[in-house]
Amino acid sequence: GKDGVVYQPGTDKIFVIGPGGAVRVATSGPQLRRPNGVTWDNAGKRWIVVSFDPFVGEVATFPADMSSRTVVRRGGGQLDGVAVLPGGTILFTSWADSSIHALSGGRDMQIVREVPVPADIGIDTRRQHLAIPLSMLGRVQLWDVSQIERER
């Protein structure tokens, strides 16, 4: 879609692409609240999924086999990108408040504000930089995140 997100009610699914390109549905259902960002948390040996629901933004964890879902954050909606720092702190973007959040130990804190339409993000683990694409401006911002896990 023109906004970068195509949604059809009742089709919330997370797929796994396996050997030989075999595709299967790992999990599905409206409880996923329009899953958007998905990443693997190596420290916690779990999947992290953020929801793009316009009203309720959830950060959820799943075991490797995606057999269950645990909500670890519920708040403003339209969550998009997600990344995990080496120590397990979850970083995610929110269109609802135009910011980047850090979630650790149940504490949700805005770490970067006034980011227009924050979408996918990436972590340069060697340099401890967070990359935030600013698609409306054709630029990428780099933020030093080396202190985040030390301060928590």
Side-chain angles (χ1 to χ4, degrees), residues 40-47 62-65:
W40 176 252
D41 171 11
N42 202 43
K45 304 294 184 219
R46 61 188 181 169
W47 290 104
F62 294 79
D65 65 2

Side-chain angles (χ1 to χ4, degrees), residues 93 115-122 131-141:
T93 67
V115 181
V117 192
D120 292 327
I121 51 176
I132 307 169
L134 304 175
S135 54
M136 308 293 268
L137 302 174
R139 296 183 180 177
V140 174
Q141 283 185 350

Side-chain angles (χ1 to χ4, degrees), residues 3-23:
D3 297 325
V5 176
V6 176
Y7 181 68
Q8 297 173 333
T11 61
D12 291 356
K13 295 180 177 119
I14 298 174
F15 297 91
V16 172
I17 300 174
V23 178

Side-chain angles (χ1 to χ4, degrees), residues 67-78:
S67 60
S68 61
R69 178 175 185 266
T70 302
V71 175
V72 294
R73 182 266 190 193
R74 183 174 284 118
Q78 295 183 298

Side-chain angles (χ1 to χ4, degrees), residues 21-40:
V23 178
R24 70 175 176 81
V25 175
T27 187
S28 64
Q31 76 281 0
L32 297 176
R33 292 189 177 275
R34 298 170 70 171
N36 196 2
V38 178
T39 196
W40 176 252

